[in-house]
Structure formats: C-alpha cells, structure tokens
C-alpha cells in the first residue's frame, strides 16, 4: 500500500496519524511482553507511519563515551556522534521526524559544523533521517549496497511492508565496498563491511583512540535480533559477524549495539553464544527432517527466552527466522 507514495505524503501520513498512534514495541525494543507475530503483521503497512509519529516527540538521550564521542539514543537505532573542529560525524539517522531533536542534541554539545553521516545499513530506523540531516550539511557515507537498496523499493515480508525508494538527497553520496579509513578530529576510524549478516549492507565503525565500536544491527544487546532474510540476512551471517566484531573489540571497548543499551565485549560474547546455541538446536531439528512448524514447536530457544525474549521478537518468531535462514 505504500508503494507509489511520494516521500512528502508518506511523511504527512505519519504526522497525521500521530495523535492516535501507539509506538510499536520494536521501535524502542523495550523490556516487556513480546508481541506475537500476528500482532506484528497487523501493524504491517502502518508500521512506518507509526514509527515516524512516535519519533516526533521522543527525546534524545546523550551519553558521553569519550572526550568527544557520544551515544545518542531516541527513536530508531542507536546513534553515535564524534564532535570536533574538523566537523561532526554522526552514525545513523533515526526517523525523519526525529531530525529536529537530533540537531538540538548535537547543538547542545557545541558549535562544530556538520560533516559526515555514516549509515550502518539500509534499514529505515537507521536511515530515515538522511534527507533532513543532508539538508543540515551532512555528507552521507555507507556501504555501496546501502545506496543500492535505498535507491529502489524494498519489501520487508515479516512486517508486510514495502518501503518506497528514498529521495536522491537521502542517498549516500560516498560509498565503499570493503573498507574505508578516515583520520578526523584527532582520531582514526575504520569503516568495514561485514559479510551478509543482519542484511547485506552492514558495516561497523571503530573509533580507535576513543575505543568506541558501533556495530549497527549485527548486535542487539539483551534481546533476540531481527534478521532481514529478504535482504541477505542469515543466522550464520550474524554469528560470523559477531566473531569478526569480537576479534576487533578489546576488553574495555565501548560497544554500541543497533538496539539496546551500550554494551561490552562480554555482552557481545553472550549474544554471540546465544545465537550459536539456538542455531545448533535449530540445525539439528532441521537435519532430522523437522519442518519449520515442527522445529518451532520443539522450542529451540526455550532456555534463552527468559533472558532474551525482551525485544521485538518472541522465542518462536526468532526460532522461525533461524530455521529459515540456516
Ligand atoms: Zn536493521
């Protein structure tokens, strides 16, 4: 239903729906009862409008991680900011409706000019603010496939949603395939592509001196992750990306997940070990001939649900995702 709408009417739909809209739980990935897949499907095509409406008034929380590096958390994916006289670098852009509050939060930290906005991957809750932040002076950097995917309509089957192509100003202007290195505001940064994991567009950003690592959505801290099977995501890719990130992180590295609270290497290791354990259980069920339905009914996530079924995905929904992407 969203196909063919232009960005403006799309945005107005979000704002107009604001009064009555209730934020779907996946936006904040809060602790609490997990919605069933049926509930998520029912939110379906209204998901984007609801997310934008909810983001309109959600405050941005700023946490200092290093002299000039901050974690910004509001609606959508976690953001990071490096400030300095050479210009501000922002990682991820939340929702279009959050842009004024993002700019306020940045402005509260000084008067440095806008410089670069880096997208960790193509998903809407990390890139919808691109257009507004580009208008505020940021040049957008991302993996080349992020630009490709944002340039065309993308369907997210699990949510029954088709996202329209982003307008030209929202597209990354500078893209790379494997890695990009930058020296900026007294620090050096690595931007490195993961093999397909959560999507086929994921990168990490590592600030060496600050020792801050933004992992995007290859890390959901404390909850089952969404894996976008329609755009290259798989459980094996998530586990591989986790191993790669564990090799990059030191014991005191501050690790920013795409969703959830700031994490440590120990948190990332727990997440990785949970993914590997669920993968092994689902794989042995599949190898013994179980259908997806039968495998899910055997509850391969049972021992983990109390700790991890706190975000957008229940154990059963996550088990289905794992089974399908083995
Ligand atoms: Zn994502």
């Amino acid at each position: 239903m969203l196909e063919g709408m232009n960005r403006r009417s799309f945005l107005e739909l979000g704002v107009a729906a604001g009064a009555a809209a209730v934020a779907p739980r996946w936006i904040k990935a809060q602790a609490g009862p997990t919605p069933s897949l049926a509930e998520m499907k029912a939110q379906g095509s209204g998901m984007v409008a609801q997310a934008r409406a909810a983001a309109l008034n959600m405050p941005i929380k700023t946490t200092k991680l290093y002299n000039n590096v901050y974690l910004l958390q509001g609606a959508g994916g976690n953001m990071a900011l490096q400030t300095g006289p050479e210009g501000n670098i922002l990682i991820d852009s939340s929702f279009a409706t959050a842009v004024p509050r993002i700019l306020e939060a940045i402005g509260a930290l000084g008067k440095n000019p806008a410089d670069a906005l880096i997208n960790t991957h193509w998903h809407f809750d990390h890139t919808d603010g691109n257009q507004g932040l580009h208008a505020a002076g940021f040049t957008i950097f991302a993996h080349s496939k992020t630009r490709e995917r944002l340039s065309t309509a993308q369907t997210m089957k699990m949510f029954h949603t088709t996202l329209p192509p982003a307008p030209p100003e929202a597209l990354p202007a500078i893209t790379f395939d494997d890695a990009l290195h930058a020296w900026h505001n007294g620090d050096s940064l690595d931007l490195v592509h993961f093999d397909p994991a959560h999507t086929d567009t994921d990168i990490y950003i590592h600030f060496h001196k600050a020792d801050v690592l933004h992992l995007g959505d290859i890390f959901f801290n404390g909850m089952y992750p969404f894996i976008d099977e329609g755009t290259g995501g798989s459980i094996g890719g998530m586990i591989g990306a986790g191993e790669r990130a564990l090799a990059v992180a030191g014991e005191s590295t501050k690790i920013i997940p795409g969703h959830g609270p700031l994490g440590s290497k120990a948190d990332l290791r727990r997440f990785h070990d949970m993914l590997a354990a669920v993968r092994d259980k689902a794989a042995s069920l599949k190898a013994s001939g179980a259908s997806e339905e039968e495998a899910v009914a055997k509850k391969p996530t049972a021992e983990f649900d109390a700790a991890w079924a706190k975000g957008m995905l229940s154990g059963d929904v996550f088990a289905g995702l794992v089974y399908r992407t083995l």
Side-chain angles (χ1 to χ4, degrees):
M1 105 177 233
L2 298 174
E3 273 181 283
M5 281 180 139
N6 66 34
R7 193 75 164 194
R8 188 165 180 86
S9 66
F10 201 45
L11 181 59
E12 281 163 359
L13 175 68
V15 174
V22 175
R25 190 170 291 109
W26 60 269
I27 298 175
K28 287 185 286 183
Q30 290 174 328
T34 305
S36 67
L37 186 57
E39 284 169 333
M40 288 198 287
K41 282 180 177 168
Q43 287 175 346
S45 57
M47 183 177 82
V48 169
Q50 284 188 347
R52 284 180 167 162
L56 194 58
N57 294 311
M58 201 175 290
I60 306 278
K61 183 184 164 206
T62 299
T63 306
K64 188 171 186 169
L65 304 182
Y66 183 73
N67 294 341
N68 66 336
V69 179
Y70 301 85
L71 167 64
L72 304 182
Q73 293 171 293
N78 288 329
M79 293 167 279
L81 178 74
Q82 186 209 48
T83 62
E86 293 178 355
N88 290 328
I89 294 180
L90 179 67
I91 301 175
D92 282 347
S93 66
S94 182
F95 296 107
T97 46
V99 168
R101 258 148 304 286
I102 295 170
L103 293 173
E104 276 169 29
I106 295 173
L109 298 170
K111 299 242 175 290
N112 299 300
D115 189 359
L117 165 64
I118 301 166
N119 293 145
T120 58
H121 63 297
W122 78 270
H123 279 159
F124 190 77
D125 51 331
H126 301 254
T127 59
D128 189 43
N130 278 10
Q131 186 177 20
L133 288 162
H134 175 69
F138 286 91
T139 300
I140 306 171
F141 289 67
H143 187 258
S144 51
K145 282 199 172 158
T146 293
R147 183 179 165 102
E148 258 177 63
R149 292 210 175 273
L150 288 176
S151 304
T152 53
Q154 300 291 329
T155 297
M156 298 179 81
K157 257 196 206 161
M158 191 158 162
F159 301 108
H160 288 199
T161 292
T162 295
L163 300 162
E169 316 83 72
L171 300 178
I174 299 179
T175 65
F176 62 94
D177 291 328
D178 299 320
L180 190 66
H181 306 282
W183 287 260
H184 199 74
N185 290 323
D187 206 340
S188 65
L189 289 75
D190 295 334
L191 287 66
V192 182
H193 180 51
F194 287 112
D195 290 335
H198 166 74
T199 65
D200 57 7
T201 66
D202 309 301
I203 63 167
Y204 71 75
I205 299 95
H206 187 202
F207 294 88
H208 284 264
K209 194 166 164 190
D211 203 11
V212 171
L213 179 62
H214 196 317
L215 292 180
D217 281 2
I218 75 112
F219 182 28
F220 280 54
N221 192 10
M223 68 197 92
Y224 291 132
F226 173 56
I227 301 172
D228 192 352
E229 57 199 310
T231 68
S234 70
I235 182 63
M238 288 289 283
I239 293 167
E243 280 160 9
R244 185 128 187 234
L246 283 166
V248 171
E251 292 304 327
S252 54
T253 302
K254 296 184 169 76
I255 304 181
I256 301 177
H259 299 273
L262 181 70
S264 64
K265 187 170 183 174
D267 294 323
L268 178 61
R269 199 177 284 118
R270 267 193 293 280
F271 176 73
H272 167 273
D273 293 351
M274 176 277 292
L275 294 183
V278 174
R279 186 265 320 267
D280 290 349
K281 284 173 195 286
S284 81
L285 289 165
K286 196 168 189 170
S288 72
S291 66
E292 179 183 339
E293 206 177 24
E294 288 161 353
V296 169
K298 293 261 188 300
K299 305 280 177 196
T301 65
E303 67 181 285
F304 299 104
D305 286 350
W308 296 90
K310 290 174 173 172
M312 64 186 266
L313 301 190
S314 66
D316 286 356
V317 171
F318 181 61
L321 253 182
V322 170
Y323 180 96
R324 290 195 300 281
T325 66
L326 277 168

